[in-house]
Amino acid sequence: MVIKKLLKTGACFAAMALIVGMYISPSIARASYDKGYGYGFDYDGQTKYTNEEKKETYSSVGMECTDSEDEYAYYVARVFGVDGDDDFDYSHGYEYTFYEGTSYEMLNWVKENNCPKVKVRGIGYRIDSEYGTVFTGYWSPDLY
């Protein structure tokens, strides 16, 4: 009887923790990024890279999409390390989907792999095939 009560209490606790976790996780995944800091970028909807910038810390790369010409268009971004003329995907599979008004602190292993510079690759989707779609925003190689 005591074991049955403990199992019931444990199941209730696990269910509550799961529900709370569902409400907390989206706010963590969409951590705010201060758009007033960093470098501007424009993507025209094709596969494009930001400028290469020096990577100083082991922190995430911040990016915010502030504007899009098409509300249904989006781009998917990954972090790349740059060493000389070579670039390497150090995102370890983490991709971030950006619409107008979204921001992320993007995980990467650029500094851990001794790459001195970093850039972000964006690939556009649902792009106007005749005129293209321009995305505008800010990014930062280091978050302090």
Side-chain angles (χ1 to χ4, degrees):
M1 189 137 159
V2 172
I3 293 174
K4 188 176 180 181
K5 188 172 183 177
L6 284 172
L7 287 174
K8 186 177 177 182
T9 304
C12 288
F13 178 75
M16 286 189 312
L18 184 61
I19 291 169
V20 169
M22 287 186 330
Y23 285 103
I24 291 174
S25 63
S27 63
I28 293 170
R30 295 188 178 267
S32 178
Y33 169 65
D34 180 10
K35 69 181 179 181
Y37 173 76
Y39 302 94
F41 70 88
D42 292 309
Y43 283 133
D44 67 0
Q46 306 301 317
T47 300
K48 297 288 182 175
Y49 291 88
T50 62
N51 292 333
E52 299 171 5
E53 299 297 339
K54 192 171 182 181
K55 182 78 172 142
E56 302 282 347
T57 69
Y58 293 98
S59 67
S60 297
V61 169
M63 181 172 257
E64 179 174 15
C65 179
T66 57
D67 190 43
S68 172
E69 291 180 343
D70 182 346
E71 67 180 309
Y72 301 109
Y74 63 96
Y75 67 93
V76 176
R78 283 184 160 208
V79 178
F80 282 73
V82 180
D83 192 3
D85 292 332
D86 298 322
D87 57 336
F88 306 93
D89 184 349
Y90 286 132
S91 65
H92 286 265
Y94 286 99
E95 291 186 328
Y96 300 88
T97 303
F98 288 88
Y99 295 89
E100 182 176 324
T102 56
S103 64
Y104 291 101
E105 294 178 1
M106 302 180 349
L107 293 174
N108 67 88
W109 285 262
V110 172
K111 189 73 171 170
E112 290 82 352
N113 285 284
N114 298 315
C115 273
K117 293 186 177 181
V118 65
K119 64 183 176 181
V120 178
R121 180 190 71 193
I123 301 175
Y125 294 93
R126 293 189 186 158
I127 304 301
D128 182 323
S129 60
E130 188 174 345
Y131 299 106
T133 300
V134 175
F135 301 99
T136 305
Y138 298 91
W139 79 284
S140 174
D142 297 301
L143 298 178
Y144 296 98

